[in-house]
Amino acid sequence: MTHATTLADLTRRTGLDVLDHLEREVTIPVIDGLQAQGDLIVVPLAMLPQVTIRAAAEWRWVPEAGVEIVRGVAGGNPHTLVADPRTCQWTTQLTDGDRLAVGALRATAPAYLIHPEHGGSGIAPGTYVIRRQRERRGPGADTVRGVGFAPARDVFVAD
């Protein structure tokens, strides 16, 4: 994936499919910052001081067919991490004080998330944490806890 990668390239290479309404010839941008795909958010590790990768974490190479990061709610569609051979590693051995982290990746070349409904998103070389997205709902959602309002309720975003 050293050239401009299209959604057609990803689906052809991995055997994963996307829904028919998605444009297959679109070039997938590769981003080195925050990005979201459905209910997941990709965050550069440096932006998350509350997340630590365990010193003895076991990193595994992402195979060409990809690693299913998370399956959607109620057996829905998976988010799959794909990369060229030996360019991206994945671990789930980390600690996140917010308990939102699914895992971490470190890549030396672009890696991609692919999802049947959302298509593909490109991740620039670096180290990132993939987390579930969370919404705050209810009284006090945008106020400081403990000042007389009912506590806000955390709701995980589902796609």
Side-chain angles (χ1 to χ4, degrees), residues 69-122:
I69 302 301
V70 69
R71 183 164 287 280
V73 173
N77 297 314
H79 296 267
T80 304
L81 177 65
V82 297
D84 281 336
R86 302 192 65 78
T87 63
C88 183
Q89 293 178 303
W90 169 255
T91 188
T92 57
Q93 298 172 352
L94 45 85
T95 303
D96 179 1
D98 293 330
R99 298 181 306 185
L100 296 172
V102 176
L105 69 98
R106 58 184 182 195
T108 58
Y112 296 86
L113 280 175
I114 187 167
H115 184 277
E117 293 176 343
H118 307 303
S121 57

Side-chain angles (χ1 to χ4, degrees), residues 7 18-19 21-22 36-40 77-79 113-121 158-159:
L7 189 53
V18 294
L19 297 180
H21 73 275
L22 295 173
Q37 186 185 73
D39 56 349
L40 295 182
N77 297 314
H79 296 267
L113 280 175
I114 187 167
H115 184 277
E117 293 176 343
H118 307 303
S121 57
D159 68 308

Side-chain angles (χ1 to χ4, degrees), residues 2 5-6 15 18 32 58 61 83 88 92 115-116 136 144 146 148-149 152 156:
T2 57
T5 299
T6 65
V18 294
D32 66 357
E58 182 180 322
W61 291 108
C88 183
T92 57
H115 184 277
R136 305 289 299 209
V144 177
F149 294 100
F156 293 100

Side-chain angles (χ1 to χ4, degrees), residues 45-70:
L45 178 61
M47 294 179 71
L48 295 170
Q50 73 275 27
V51 175
T52 56
I53 299 170
R54 296 181 190 146
E58 182 180 322
W59 291 88
R60 59 185 174 125
W61 291 108
V62 173
E64 195 166 352
V67 172
E68 188 173 289
I69 302 301
V70 69

